[in-house]
Amino acid sequence: MRSMPASTSASDVLQGQWSDGRSSRLRAVEVSRVDEVLQAALGDELHRWPLAGIRISPRLGRTPRTLTLPDGGRIELPDSPVLDAWFPMPPSRVEAVADWLERRKYAIAAAAAITVAVIVGFVQFGLPWGARKIAERLPPVVERSASDQVVRVLEQFHVQPTQLSEARQAALQAQFGKLVAGEPRADQMRLVLVDAAGIGPNAFALPDGRIYMTDELVELAESDDEVLAVLAHEAGHHVHRHGMRGAIESSSVFVLAGLMLGDATGSSLTVSVPATLLSNGFSRGHEREADQYAFALLKRHGRSPKDFATLMSRLMKAHGMDEGDDAVIGYISTHPPSQERVRAAEAAAASP
Ligand SMILES: [Zn+2]
């Protein structure tokens, strides 16, 4: 009955004290391991328990270790490295908690990062996408109403009828009409020539298709080609509905807040249209989009985007601008020219 398997060496036998877990009686015991089984020799008796069913007390300094057996019995043993081999310790409770927190920490950090990414993504992509969808569905009366408000604001800048000769006006109107004929939303486009010393060289597209251009800008241009290049850019703003899209984008937060606070009229949206068009200008993304549209349109008409670059450069030089300096008035304040845009126009002119 008492047979020690060959796989157990003498060094793997530990001497300890066994109790049945019910009485305080202790008996000397020789403990050894055979594969995944713990063997305990109690005198002539040989007991076996699967290792997996045995709990071992944690190591506390050099105090003895206690094995709690599946049948409720206990074996007390002096601490020994052999026990570590028999019972590979899972991480301690504290270590497990620390480990859990560590994983949790990354989960929390990941959740925060995802939240930030979602918000950034919404503002960067979701908001413009939504604004475009909304702008495409706005009835013309809304575009007209928003544009009328811009015109009312313009009146404060003493905008007068153009001083250009009838012939000059007719020529510019004819060239503009020819340039945008057949373009999307061209039916709504109307060139409005004005004299506006108060706002200087300027051109801007209103949401309903009215494209304002000041005599001051016509005078600054050294050719009709340059004038047409600017008008092509403004046409791009109208084709891409940048007026309403920009107003919706910049006012969405206020509109949402207004709706939550009980302003269901969306009045903050209409207020923001003149503000967007006249003070903030279009976003750089919208400017780039209008530029790209203009370059393609000019080339389709055998014109060159170089004209746009030339006028942009002259505007920058006239205002003594450095790259990145947007703090100037007139056309520049709503259409910040930059070396980047000039280079883009020159690149477009050079490409087939
Ligand atoms: Zn623009």
Side-chain angles (χ1 to χ4, degrees):
M1 184 178 170
R2 185 175 178 185
S3 62
M4 296 294 257
S7 65
T8 304
S9 66
S11 64
D12 287 339
V13 177
L14 299 176
Q15 307 292 329
Q17 302 280 330
W18 174 88
S19 80
D20 63 7
R22 290 178 291 276
S23 73
S24 58
R25 183 179 167 225
L26 297 175
R27 291 173 67 187
V29 67
E30 275 189 358
V31 181
S32 60
R33 175 191 173 178
V34 180
D35 298 324
E36 294 306 309
V37 171
L38 188 79
Q39 263 183 187
L42 281 161
D44 287 341
E45 300 167 27
L46 191 61
H47 295 263
R48 294 164 177 267
W49 303 276
L51 285 174
I54 299 170
R55 274 194 297 120
I56 183 168
S57 64
R59 175 181 290 113
L60 288 170
R62 305 190 68 80
T63 57
R65 309 288 291 275
T66 302
L67 305 184
T68 305
L69 306 169
D71 57 16
R74 290 176 182 204
I75 296 173
E76 198 167 275
L77 297 161
D79 194 20
S80 159
V82 174
L83 286 173
D84 293 332
W86 290 0
F87 301 96
M89 283 291 287
S92 74
R93 195 98 186 128
V94 172
E95 282 168 344
V97 169
D99 184 56
W100 182 83
L101 279 174
E102 191 75 3
R103 289 166 195 277
R104 190 81 179 161
K105 187 179 80 184
Y106 289 121
I108 291 166
I114 289 168
T115 304
V116 168
V118 165
I119 291 169
V120 168
F122 174 73
V123 170
Q124 197 160 8
F125 302 108
L127 211 54
W129 180 87
R132 182 196 287 268
K133 292 292 162 196
I134 293 167
E136 283 170 358
R137 283 158 181 76
L138 286 176
V141 65
V142 175
E143 294 177 333
R144 173 63 53 86
S145 159
S147 301
D148 286 344
Q149 288 189 51
V150 179
V151 171
R152 273 197 289 280
V153 174
L154 285 175
E155 283 164 3
Q156 297 166 18
F157 291 91
H158 309 292
V159 173
Q160 309 287 326
T162 177
Q163 304 294 307
L164 298 176
S165 71
E166 297 278 339
R168 185 91 175 92
Q169 289 182 47
L172 288 175
Q173 291 286 0
Q175 290 186 83
F176 174 70
K178 197 173 143 205
L179 180 69
V180 300
E183 290 300 306
R185 287 165 50 82
D187 293 350
Q188 288 175 281
M189 289 189 217
R190 194 153 61 83
L191 175 59
V192 182
L193 297 165
V194 294
D195 177 43
I199 52 178
N202 213 325
F204 41 83
L206 303 191
D208 67 352
R210 275 177 276 184
I211 293 174
Y212 274 66
M213 175 171 264
T214 66
D215 292 352
E216 288 74 12
L217 184 63
V218 176
E219 283 155 21
L220 184 81
E222 291 185 354
S223 70
D224 283 2
D225 293 333
E226 291 181 10
V227 173
L228 269 282
V230 168
L231 291 178
H233 171 90
E234 298 305 329
H237 281 313
H238 178 64
V239 167
H240 288 290
R241 304 172 193 267
H242 288 157
M244 294 312 294
R245 281 168 59 191
I248 293 164
E249 281 176 29
S250 62
S251 64
S252 291
V253 174
F254 300 106
V255 170
L256 287 175
L259 288 172
M260 286 191 289
L261 296 171
D263 170 22
T265 63
S267 59
S268 39
L269 172 62
T270 46
V271 164
S272 72
V273 172
T276 301
L277 289 174
L278 296 174
S279 54
N280 303 330
F282 293 117
S283 72
R284 299 211 168 226
H286 287 180
E287 290 305 332
R288 220 176 349 253
E289 198 169 41
D291 282 352
Q292 292 307 317
Y293 171 87
F295 302 158
L297 176 65
L298 292 171
K299 288 166 84 170
R300 281 204 300 279
H301 285 260
R303 296 177 171 276
S304 173
K306 189 95 178 78
D307 296 320
F308 190 78
T310 308
L311 186 61
M312 275 284 164
S313 297
R314 188 171 317 116
L315 275 165
M316 289 167 70
K317 206 173 288 178
H319 289 271
M321 273 186 75
D322 292 324
E323 195 172 354
D325 181 7
D326 292 337
V328 282
I329 53 154
Y331 191 72
I332 292 173
S333 70
T334 46
H335 295 81
S338 66
Q339 293 293 352
E340 181 198 330
R341 293 179 70 192
V342 170
R343 275 196 295 272
E346 285 168 346
S351 71

